[in-house]
Coordinates of all heavy atoms in Angstrom, one line a residue:
M1 N 0.8 -1.2 0.0 CA 0.0 0.0 0.0 C 0.9 1.3 0.0 O 1.9 1.2 0.5 CB -0.9 0.0 1.2 CG -1.9 -1.1 1.3 SD -3.1 -0.8 2.5 CE -4.2 0.2 1.7
T2 N 0.4 2.3 -0.6 CA 1.1 3.5 -0.6 C 0.5 4.4 0.5 O -0.4 4.2 1.1 CB 0.9 4.3 -2.0 OG1 -0.5 4.6 -2.1 CG2 1.4 3.4 -3.1
A3 N 1.3 5.5 0.7 CA 0.9 6.5 1.8 C 0.0 7.5 1.2 O -0.4 8.5 1.9 CB 2.2 7.1 2.4
Q4 N -0.3 7.5 0.0 CA -1.2 8.4 -0.7 C -2.5 8.4 -0.1 O -3.1 7.3 0.1 CB -1.2 8.2 -2.2 CG -2.2 9.2 -2.9 CD -2.2 8.9 -4.4 OE1 -1.6 8.0 -4.9 NE2 -2.9 9.6 -5.1
P5 N -3.1 9.5 0.3 CA -4.4 9.6 0.7 C -5.5 9.2 -0.3 O -5.2 9.2 -1.5 CB -4.7 11.0 1.3 CG -3.6 11.7 0.6 CD -2.6 10.9 0.2
H6 N -6.6 8.6 0.2 CA -7.6 8.2 -0.8 C -8.2 9.4 -1.6 O -8.3 10.6 -1.0 CB -8.8 7.5 -0.1 CG -8.5 6.3 0.6 ND1 -8.2 5.1 -0.1 CD2 -8.2 6.0 1.9 CE1 -7.9 4.1 0.7 NE2 -7.8 4.7 1.9
L7 N -8.4 9.2 -2.8 CA -9.1 10.2 -3.6 C -10.6 10.4 -3.3 O -11.2 9.5 -2.8 CB -8.9 9.9 -5.1 CG -7.5 9.9 -5.6 CD1 -7.4 9.4 -7.1 CD2 -6.8 11.2 -5.6
P8 N -11.1 11.6 -3.6 CA -12.5 11.8 -3.3 C -13.3 10.7 -4.1 O -13.0 10.3 -5.2 CB -12.9 13.2 -3.9 CG -11.6 13.8 -4.0 CD -10.5 12.8 -4.1
V9 N -14.4 10.2 -3.5 CA -15.3 9.1 -4.3 C -15.9 9.7 -5.4 O -15.9 9.2 -6.5 CB -16.3 8.6 -3.3 CG1 -17.1 7.5 -3.9 CG2 -15.5 8.0 -2.1
A10 N -16.5 10.8 -5.3 CA -17.2 11.6 -6.5 C -16.7 13.0 -6.3 O -16.6 13.6 -5.3 CB -18.7 11.4 -6.4
M11 N -16.4 13.6 -7.5 CA -16.0 15.0 -7.4 C -17.1 15.9 -7.7 O -17.0 16.9 -8.5 CB -14.9 15.1 -8.4 CG -13.6 14.3 -8.2 SD -12.3 14.7 -9.2 CE -11.3 13.3 -8.9
V12 N -18.2 15.7 -7.0 CA -19.3 16.6 -7.1 C -19.6 17.2 -5.7 O -19.7 16.4 -4.7 CB -20.6 15.8 -7.5 CG1 -21.8 16.7 -7.7 CG2 -20.3 15.2 -9.0
L13 N -19.8 18.4 -5.6 CA -19.9 19.1 -4.3 C -21.1 18.6 -3.5 O -20.9 18.4 -2.2 CB -20.0 20.7 -4.5 CG -19.9 21.5 -3.3 CD1 -18.6 21.2 -2.6 CD2 -20.1 22.9 -3.6
D14 N -22.2 18.4 -4.1 CA -23.4 18.2 -3.3 C -23.7 16.5 -3.2 O -24.8 16.2 -3.0 CB -24.6 18.9 -3.7 CG -25.0 18.7 -5.1 OD1 -24.1 18.0 -5.9 OD2 -26.0 19.1 -5.7
A15 N -22.7 15.7 -3.4 CA -22.8 14.3 -3.3 C -23.2 13.8 -2.0 O -22.7 14.3 -1.0 CB -21.6 13.6 -3.9
V16 N -24.0 12.8 -1.9 CA -24.4 12.3 -0.5 C -23.5 11.1 -0.3 O -23.6 10.1 -1.0 CB -26.0 11.9 -0.6 CG1 -26.4 11.3 0.8 CG2 -26.9 13.0 -0.9
P17 N -22.8 11.1 0.8 CA -22.0 9.8 1.2 C -22.8 8.6 1.3 O -24.0 8.6 1.9 CB -21.3 10.3 2.6 CG -21.5 11.8 2.7 CD -22.7 12.1 1.9
L18 N -22.3 7.5 0.9 CA -22.8 6.3 1.1 C -21.9 5.1 1.4 O -21.1 4.7 0.5 CB -23.5 5.9 -0.3 CG -24.3 4.5 -0.4 CD1 -25.4 4.6 0.5 CD2 -24.7 4.3 -1.9
G19 N -21.8 4.8 2.7 CA -20.8 3.9 3.2 C -19.4 4.5 3.1 O -19.3 5.7 3.0
L20 N -18.4 3.7 3.2 CA -17.0 4.2 3.2 C -16.6 4.4 1.7 O -15.5 5.1 1.5 CB -16.1 3.1 3.8 CG -16.4 3.0 5.3 CD1 -15.5 1.9 5.8 CD2 -16.2 4.3 6.1
A21 N -17.1 3.9 0.7 CA -16.6 3.9 -0.6 C -17.5 4.4 -1.7 O -17.3 4.4 -2.9 CB -16.2 2.5 -1.1
G22 N -18.6 4.9 -1.3 CA -19.7 5.4 -2.3 C -20.3 6.8 -2.0 O -20.2 7.3 -0.9
E23 N -20.9 7.2 -3.0 CA -21.6 8.5 -3.0 C -22.8 8.5 -3.9 O -22.6 7.9 -5.0 CB -20.7 9.8 -3.1 CG -19.8 10.0 -2.1 CD -18.9 11.3 -2.3 OE1 -18.9 11.7 -3.4 OE2 -18.4 11.7 -1.3
L24 N -23.9 9.2 -3.7 CA -25.0 9.3 -4.5 C -25.1 10.8 -5.0 O -25.0 11.7 -4.2 CB -26.3 8.9 -3.8 CG -27.6 9.2 -4.6 CD1 -27.7 8.5 -5.9 CD2 -28.8 9.0 -3.7
V25 N -25.1 10.9 -6.3 CA -25.3 12.2 -6.9 C -26.7 12.3 -7.5 O -26.9 11.5 -8.4 CB -24.2 12.5 -7.9 CG1 -24.4 13.9 -8.6 CG2 -22.9 12.4 -7.4
R26 N -27.5 13.1 -7.0 CA -28.9 13.3 -7.6 C -28.9 14.4 -8.6 O -28.3 15.4 -8.5 CB -29.9 13.7 -6.4 CG -30.1 12.6 -5.4 CD -31.1 12.9 -4.5 NE -31.4 11.8 -3.5 CZ -31.0 11.9 -2.3 NH1 -30.4 13.0 -1.7 NH2 -31.3 10.9 -1.5
D27 N -29.6 14.0 -9.7 CA -29.8 15.0 -10.8 C -30.9 16.0 -10.4 O -31.8 15.7 -9.6 CB -30.2 14.3 -12.1 CG -29.1 13.3 -12.5 OD1 -27.9 13.4 -12.2 OD2 -29.4 12.3 -13.3
A28 N -30.9 17.1 -11.1 CA -32.0 18.1 -10.8 C -33.3 17.7 -11.4 O -34.4 18.0 -10.8 CB -31.6 19.4 -11.6
D29 N -33.4 16.7 -12.3 CA -34.7 16.2 -12.7 C -35.2 15.0 -12.1 O -36.2 14.5 -12.4 CB -34.5 15.8 -14.3 CG -33.5 14.8 -14.6 OD1 -32.8 14.3 -13.6 OD2 -33.4 14.4 -15.7
G30 N -34.5 14.4 -11.1 CA -34.9 13.3 -10.3 C -34.2 12.0 -10.4 O -34.5 11.0 -9.8
G31 N -33.2 12.0 -11.4 CA -32.4 10.9 -11.6 C -31.2 10.8 -10.6 O -31.2 11.6 -9.7
G32 N -30.4 9.8 -10.8 CA -29.2 9.8 -9.9 C -28.2 8.8 -10.4 O -28.4 8.0 -11.3
T33 N -26.9 9.0 -9.8 CA -25.8 8.1 -10.1 C -25.1 7.8 -8.8 O -24.9 8.7 -8.0 CB -24.9 8.8 -11.1 OG1 -25.5 9.2 -12.3 CG2 -23.7 8.0 -11.4
V34 N -24.8 6.5 -8.7 CA -24.0 6.1 -7.5 C -22.6 5.9 -8.0 O -22.4 5.1 -9.0 CB -24.6 4.8 -6.9 CG1 -23.7 4.2 -5.8 CG2 -25.9 5.0 -6.4
F35 N -21.7 6.5 -7.2 CA -20.2 6.3 -7.4 C -19.7 5.4 -6.4 O -19.9 5.6 -5.2 CB -19.5 7.6 -7.4 CG -19.8 8.5 -8.6 CD1 -20.9 9.3 -8.6 CD2 -19.0 8.4 -9.7 CE1 -21.2 10.2 -9.6 CE2 -19.3 9.3 -10.8 CZ -20.4 10.1 -10.8
L36 N -18.9 4.3 -6.9 CA -18.3 3.5 -5.9 C -16.8 3.6 -6.2 O -16.4 3.3 -7.4 CB -18.7 2.0 -6.0 CG -20.1 1.8 -5.6 CD1 -20.6 0.3 -5.8 CD2 -20.3 2.1 -4.0
H37 N -16.0 3.9 -5.3 CA -14.5 4.1 -5.4 C -14.3 5.0 -6.7 O -13.3 4.7 -7.4 CB -13.8 2.7 -5.6 CG -13.9 1.8 -4.5 ND1 -13.3 2.0 -3.3 CD2 -14.7 0.7 -4.2 CE1 -13.5 1.1 -2.4 NE2 -14.4 0.3 -3.0
G38 N -15.1 6.0 -6.8 CA -14.8 7.0 -7.8 C -15.3 6.6 -9.2 O -15.2 7.4 -10.1
Q39 N -16.0 5.5 -9.3 CA -16.5 5.1 -10.7 C -18.0 5.1 -10.7 O -18.5 4.5 -9.7 CB -16.0 3.7 -11.0 CG -14.4 3.7 -11.3 CD -14.0 2.3 -11.7 OE1 -14.8 1.5 -12.3 NE2 -12.8 2.0 -11.5
A40 N -18.6 5.6 -11.7 CA -20.1 5.5 -11.7 C -20.5 4.0 -11.9 O -20.1 3.3 -12.9 CB -20.5 6.3 -13.0
S41 N -21.2 3.5 -10.9 CA -21.6 2.1 -10.9 C -23.0 1.8 -11.2 O -23.3 0.9 -11.8 CB -21.2 1.5 -9.5 OG -19.8 1.7 -9.3
F42 N -23.9 2.8 -10.8 CA -25.3 2.7 -11.1 C -25.9 4.0 -11.4 O -25.4 5.0 -10.9 CB -26.1 2.2 -9.8 CG -25.6 0.8 -9.3 CD1 -24.8 0.7 -8.2 CD2 -26.0 -0.3 -9.9 CE1 -24.3 -0.5 -7.8 CE2 -25.5 -1.6 -9.5 CZ -24.7 -1.7 -8.4
S43 N -26.8 4.0 -12.4 CA -27.4 5.3 -12.7 C -28.8 5.1 -13.2 O -29.1 4.0 -13.7 CB -26.6 5.9 -13.9 OG -27.0 7.2 -14.3
W44 N -29.7 6.0 -13.0 CA -31.1 5.9 -13.4 C -31.6 7.3 -13.8 O -31.0 8.4 -13.3 CB -32.0 5.3 -12.4 CG -32.0 6.1 -11.1 CD1 -32.9 7.0 -10.7 CD2 -31.0 5.9 -10.0 NE1 -32.5 7.5 -9.5 CE2 -31.4 6.8 -9.0 CE3 -29.8 5.2 -9.8 CZ2 -30.7 6.9 -7.8 CZ3 -29.2 5.3 -8.6 CH2 -29.6 6.2 -7.6
D45 N -32.5 7.3 -14.7 CA -33.1 8.7 -15.1 C -34.3 8.9 -14.2 O -34.8 8.1 -13.5 CB -33.6 8.5 -16.6 CG -32.5 8.5 -17.5 OD1 -31.4 9.0 -17.2 OD2 -32.5 7.8 -18.5
A46 N -34.8 10.1 -14.3 CA -36.0 10.6 -13.6 C -37.2 9.7 -14.0 O -37.3 9.3 -15.2 CB -36.4 12.0 -13.9
G47 N -37.9 9.1 -13.1 CA -39.1 8.2 -13.3 C -38.7 6.8 -13.5 O -39.6 5.9 -13.7
D48 N -37.4 6.5 -13.5 CA -37.0 5.0 -13.7 C -36.9 4.4 -12.3 O -35.9 4.2 -11.7 CB -35.6 5.1 -14.3 CG -35.1 3.6 -14.5 OD1 -35.9 2.7 -14.3 OD2 -34.0 3.4 -15.0
E49 N -38.1 4.1 -11.8 CA -38.2 3.5 -10.4 C -37.5 2.1 -10.3 O -36.8 1.8 -9.3 CB -39.6 3.3 -10.0 CG -39.8 3.0 -8.5 CD -39.3 4.1 -7.5 OE1 -39.1 5.3 -7.9 OE2 -38.9 3.7 -6.4
A50 N -37.5 1.4 -11.3 CA -36.8 0.0 -11.4 C -35.4 0.2 -11.3 O -34.8 -0.6 -10.6 CB -37.3 -0.7 -12.6
G51 N -34.8 1.2 -12.0 CA -33.4 1.4 -11.9 C -32.9 1.9 -10.6 O -31.9 1.4 -10.1
R52 N -33.7 2.7 -10.0 CA -33.4 3.1 -8.6 C -33.4 2.0 -7.6 O -32.6 1.8 -6.8 CB -34.4 4.3 -8.3 CG -34.2 4.9 -6.9 CD -35.2 6.0 -6.7 NE -35.3 6.3 -5.3 CZ -36.2 5.7 -4.4 NH1 -37.0 4.8 -4.8 NH2 -36.2 6.1 -3.2
R53 N -34.4 1.2 -7.8 CA -34.6 0.0 -6.8 C -33.5 -0.9 -7.1 O -33.0 -1.5 -6.1 CB -36.0 -0.6 -7.0 CG -37.1 0.3 -6.5 CD -38.4 -0.4 -6.7 NE -39.5 0.4 -6.2 CZ -40.7 -0.1 -6.0 NH1 -41.1 -1.2 -6.3 NH2 -41.7 0.8 -5.6
W54 N -33.2 -1.1 -8.4 CA -32.1 -2.1 -8.6 C -30.7 -1.6 -8.0 O -30.0 -2.5 -7.5 CB -31.9 -2.2 -10.2 CG -30.6 -2.9 -10.5 CD1 -29.5 -2.5 -11.0 CD2 -30.6 -4.4 -10.7 NE1 -28.6 -3.5 -11.3 CE2 -29.3 -4.6 -11.1 CE3 -31.5 -5.5 -10.4 CZ2 -28.8 -6.0 -11.3 CZ3 -31.0 -6.8 -10.5 CH2 -29.7 -7.0 -11.0
A55 N -30.5 -0.3 -8.0 CA -29.2 0.2 -7.5 C -29.2 0.0 -5.9 O -28.2 -0.4 -5.4 CB -29.1 1.7 -7.8
A56 N -30.4 0.2 -5.3 CA -30.5 0.0 -3.8 C -30.3 -1.4 -3.5 O -29.5 -1.8 -2.5 CB -31.8 0.5 -3.4
V57 N -30.9 -2.4 -4.2 CA -30.8 -3.7 -3.9 C -29.3 -4.2 -4.1 O -28.8 -5.0 -3.3 CB -31.8 -4.5 -4.8 CG1 -31.4 -6.0 -4.8 CG2 -33.1 -4.4 -4.3
K58 N -28.8 -3.8 -5.2 CA -27.4 -4.3 -5.5 C -26.4 -3.7 -4.4 O -25.4 -4.4 -4.2 CB -26.9 -3.9 -6.9 CG -27.8 -4.6 -8.0 CD -28.0 -6.1 -7.7 CE -26.8 -6.9 -8.0 NZ -27.1 -8.4 -7.8
L59 N -26.6 -2.5 -4.0 CA -25.8 -1.9 -3.0 C -25.9 -2.7 -1.7 O -24.8 -3.0 -1.0 CB -26.0 -0.5 -2.8 CG -25.7 0.5 -3.9 CD1 -26.3 1.9 -3.7 CD2 -24.2 0.7 -4.0
A60 N -27.1 -3.1 -1.4 CA -27.2 -3.9 -0.1 C -26.6 -5.3 -0.3 O -26.0 -5.7 0.6 CB -28.7 -4.0 0.2
A61 N -26.8 -5.9 -1.5 CA -26.2 -7.2 -1.8 C -24.8 -7.2 -1.7 O -24.1 -8.2 -1.2 CB -26.8 -7.7 -3.1
M62 N -24.1 -6.1 -2.2 CA -22.6 -6.2 -2.1 C -22.1 -5.5 -0.9 O -20.9 -5.4 -0.7 CB -22.1 -5.4 -3.3 CG -22.4 -3.9 -3.4 SD -21.6 -3.1 -4.8 CE -22.3 -3.8 -6.2
K63 N -23.0 -5.2 0.0 CA -22.6 -4.6 1.4 C -21.8 -3.3 1.2 O -20.9 -3.2 1.9 CB -22.0 -5.6 2.2 CG -22.9 -6.8 2.5 CD -22.2 -7.9 3.3 CE -23.3 -8.9 3.5 NZ -22.7 -10.1 4.3
A64 N -22.1 -2.5 0.2 CA -21.4 -1.3 0.1 C -21.7 -0.4 1.3 O -20.9 0.6 1.6 CB -21.8 -0.6 -1.3
A65 N -22.9 -0.5 2.0 CA -23.1 0.3 3.0 C -24.2 -0.6 3.8 O -24.8 -1.5 3.3 CB -23.8 1.6 2.7
G66 N -24.5 -0.1 5.1 CA -25.6 -0.9 5.8 C -27.0 -0.6 5.2 O -27.1 0.5 4.5
V67 N -27.9 -1.4 5.5 CA -29.3 -1.2 5.0 C -29.9 0.1 5.5 O -30.6 0.8 4.7 CB -30.2 -2.5 5.4 CG1 -31.6 -2.3 5.0 CG2 -29.6 -3.7 4.7
G68 N -29.6 0.4 6.8 CA -30.2 1.7 7.2 C -29.7 2.9 6.5 O -30.4 3.8 6.2
E69 N -28.3 2.9 6.1 CA -27.7 4.0 5.5 C -28.2 4.0 4.1 O -28.5 5.1 3.5 CB -26.2 3.8 5.5 CG -25.4 5.1 4.9 CD -24.0 5.0 5.1 OE1 -23.5 4.0 5.6 OE2 -23.3 6.0 4.7
I70 N -28.3 2.9 3.4 CA -28.9 2.9 2.0 C -30.3 3.3 2.0 O -30.7 4.2 1.2 CB -28.8 1.4 1.5 CG1 -27.3 1.0 1.2 CG2 -29.5 1.3 0.2 CD1 -27.2 -0.5 1.0
A71 N -31.1 3.0 3.0 CA -32.5 3.3 3.1 C -32.5 4.9 3.2 O -33.3 5.6 2.6 CB -33.2 2.7 4.2
A72 N -31.7 5.4 4.1 CA -31.6 6.9 4.2 C -31.2 7.7 3.0 O -31.8 8.7 2.6 CB -30.7 7.3 5.5
V73 N -30.2 7.2 2.3 CA -29.8 7.9 1.1 C -30.8 7.8 0.0 O -31.1 8.8 -0.7 CB -28.5 7.2 0.6 CG1 -28.0 7.7 -0.7 CG2 -27.3 7.6 1.6
F74 N -31.7 6.7 -0.1 CA -32.6 6.5 -1.1 C -34.0 7.1 -0.6 O -35.0 6.8 -1.3 CB -32.7 5.1 -1.6 CG -31.6 4.7 -2.6 CD1 -30.4 4.3 -2.1 CD2 -31.9 4.7 -3.9 CE1 -29.3 4.0 -3.0 CE2 -30.9 4.4 -4.8 CZ -29.6 4.1 -4.3
D75 N -34.1 7.6 0.5 CA -35.4 8.2 1.1 C -36.4 7.2 1.3 O -37.6 7.4 0.9 CB -35.8 9.4 0.3 CG -34.8 10.6 0.2 OD1 -34.2 10.7 1.3 OD2 -34.6 11.2 -0.9
V76 N -36.1 6.0 1.8 CA -37.0 5.0 2.2 C -36.8 4.6 3.6 O -35.8 5.0 4.2 CB -37.0 3.8 1.2 CG1 -37.4 4.2 -0.1 CG2 -35.7 3.1 1.2
T77 N -37.7 3.8 4.2 CA -37.4 3.3 5.5 C -36.6 2.0 5.5 O -36.7 1.3 4.4 CB -38.8 3.0 6.3 OG1 -39.5 2.0 5.6 CG2 -39.6 4.3 6.5
P78 N -35.8 1.7 6.4 CA -34.9 0.5 6.4 C -35.8 -0.8 6.3 O -35.3 -1.7 5.6 CB -34.3 0.5 7.8 CG -34.2 1.9 8.2 CD -35.6 2.5 7.7
S79 N -37.0 -0.8 6.7 CA -37.9 -2.0 6.5 C -38.3 -2.3 5.0 O -38.7 -3.3 4.7 CB -39.1 -1.9 7.4 OG -39.9 -0.9 7.0
T80 N -38.2 -1.2 4.2 CA -38.4 -1.4 2.8 C -37.3 -2.0 2.0 O -37.5 -2.3 0.9 CB -38.9 -0.1 2.2 OG1 -37.8 0.8 2.2 CG2 -40.1 0.5 2.9
V81 N -36.2 -2.0 2.6 CA -35.0 -2.6 1.9 C -34.8 -4.0 2.4 O -34.5 -4.1 3.5 CB -33.7 -1.8 2.1 CG1 -32.5 -2.4 1.3 CG2 -33.9 -0.4 1.6
W82 N -35.0 -5.0 1.6 CA -34.8 -6.4 2.1 C -34.3 -7.2 1.0 O -34.4 -7.0 -0.3 CB -36.2 -6.9 2.5 CG -37.3 -6.9 1.6 CD1 -38.1 -5.9 1.3 CD2 -37.6 -7.9 0.7 NE1 -39.0 -6.2 0.3 CE2 -38.8 -7.4 -0.1 CE3 -37.2 -9.2 0.4 CZ2 -39.4 -8.3 -1.0 CZ3 -37.9 -10.0 -0.4 CH2 -39.0 -9.5 -1.2
L83 N -33.6 -8.3 1.3 CA -33.1 -9.3 0.4 C -33.5 -10.6 0.9 O -33.6 -11.0 2.1 CB -31.5 -9.2 0.6 CG -30.9 -7.9 0.2 CD1 -29.4 -8.0 0.4 CD2 -31.1 -7.6 -1.2
R84 N -33.6 -11.6 0.0 CA -33.9 -13.0 0.3 C -32.7 -13.8 -0.1 O -32.0 -13.5 -1.0 CB -35.1 -13.5 -0.5 CG -36.5 -12.9 0.0 CD -37.6 -13.6 -0.5 NE -38.8 -13.1 -0.1 CZ -39.9 -13.5 -0.5 NH1 -40.1 -14.3 -1.4 NH2 -41.1 -12.9 -0.1
H85 N -32.5 -14.8 0.7 CA -31.4 -15.7 0.5 C -31.7 -16.6 -0.7 O -32.9 -16.9 -1.0 CB -31.0 -16.4 1.7 CG -30.5 -15.5 2.9 ND1 -29.3 -15.0 2.8 CD2 -31.1 -15.0 3.9 CE1 -29.1 -14.2 3.9 NE2 -30.2 -14.2 4.5
P86 N -30.8 -17.3 -1.3 CA -31.0 -18.3 -2.4 C -32.0 -19.3 -2.0 O -31.9 -19.9 -0.8 CB -29.7 -18.8 -2.7 CG -28.7 -17.9 -2.2 CD -29.3 -17.2 -1.0
V87 N -33.0 -19.5 -2.8 CA -33.9 -20.6 -2.6 C -33.8 -21.4 -3.9 O -34.1 -21.0 -5.0 CB -35.4 -20.1 -2.5 CG1 -36.4 -21.2 -2.4 CG2 -35.5 -19.1 -1.2
N88 N -33.5 -22.8 -3.8 CA -33.4 -23.6 -4.9 C -32.5 -23.0 -6.0 O -32.7 -23.2 -7.1 CB -34.7 -24.0 -5.5 CG -35.6 -24.8 -4.5 OD1 -35.2 -25.5 -3.7 ND2 -36.9 -24.5 -4.6
G89 N -31.4 -22.4 -5.4 CA -30.4 -21.8 -6.5 C -30.7 -20.5 -7.0 O -30.0 -20.1 -7.8
V90 N -31.9 -20.1 -6.8 CA -32.4 -18.8 -7.3 C -32.3 -17.7 -6.3 O -33.0 -17.9 -5.2 CB -33.8 -18.9 -7.9 CG1 -34.3 -17.6 -8.5 CG2 -33.8 -20.0 -9.0
V91 N -31.6 -16.6 -6.5 CA -31.5 -15.5 -5.6 C -32.7 -14.5 -5.9 O -32.8 -14.1 -7.0 CB -30.3 -14.8 -5.6 CG1 -30.2 -13.6 -4.6 CG2 -29.1 -15.8 -5.3
M92 N -33.5 -14.3 -4.9 CA -34.6 -13.4 -5.1 C -34.3 -12.0 -4.3 O -34.0 -12.1 -3.1 CB -35.9 -13.9 -4.6 CG -36.3 -15.2 -5.4 SD -37.9 -15.9 -4.7 CE -39.0 -14.6 -5.2
E93 N -34.3 -10.9 -5.0 CA -34.1 -9.7 -4.3 C -35.2 -8.7 -4.7 O -35.6 -8.7 -5.8 CB -32.7 -9.1 -4.8 CG -31.5 -10.1 -4.7 CD -30.3 -9.6 -5.3 OE1 -30.4 -8.9 -6.3 OE2 -29.2 -10.1 -4.9
A94 N -35.4 -7.8 -3.8 CA -36.3 -6.7 -4.0 C -36.2 -5.6 -3.1 O -35.7 -5.7 -2.0 CB -37.8 -7.3 -4.0
V95 N -36.7 -4.5 -3.5 CA -36.8 -3.3 -2.7 C -38.2 -2.8 -2.9 O -38.6 -2.5 -4.0 CB -35.8 -2.2 -3.0 CG1 -36.1 -0.9 -2.3 CG2 -34.4 -2.6 -2.8
A96 N -39.0 -2.6 -1.9 CA -40.3 -2.0 -1.9 C -40.1 -0.6 -1.6 O -39.2 -0.2 -0.9 CB -41.2 -2.7 -0.8
G97 N -40.9 0.3 -2.2 CA -40.6 1.6 -1.8 C -41.5 2.6 -2.4 O -41.5 3.7 -2.4

């Protein structure tokens, strides 16, 4: 490892922190982009509720942040973010919201 400090996750002034390695940047029109380790990892347009939910579920699945923090950043309650474990080899994931 080097002694160089970590670079900013997203270089946008009003980005919302998400865990130790991520940030959410909201668009003026209602869309958003999640940056993980400085790279755009998930993005959705205004009105794309499926894309927004997909991003929240995948962030929880990869444990990019805690469920409570993900829920807060996505403006839902923690009980609406949930994951199911594999059943018969099929992983079922969903976010209600």
Side-chain angles (χ1 to χ4, degrees):
M1 296 191 83
T2 65
Q4 178 181 1
H6 295 286
L7 295 173
V9 178
M11 295 188 200
V12 178
L13 186 58
D14 57 349
V16 180
L18 181 63
L20 296 175
E23 290 184 342
L24 170 64
V25 177
R26 292 188 178 106
D27 298 338
D29 63 354
T33 302
V34 174
F35 290 87
L36 293 175
H37 297 289
Q39 296 185 22
S41 299
F42 301 101
S43 186
W44 60 93
D45 292 327
D48 182 8
E49 190 63 24
R52 180 178 164 272
R53 291 178 180 195
W54 173 260
V57 166
K58 296 315 283 182
L59 289 166
M62 67 175 61
K63 299 181 181 176
V67 171
E69 187 174 0
I70 293 169
V73 168
F74 280 83
D75 297 324
V76 295
T77 61
S79 62
T80 63
V81 179
W82 57 274
L83 301 173
R84 288 191 180 172
H85 297 285
V87 176
N88 296 328
V90 177
V91 177
M92 300 179 68
E93 304 171 335
V95 170

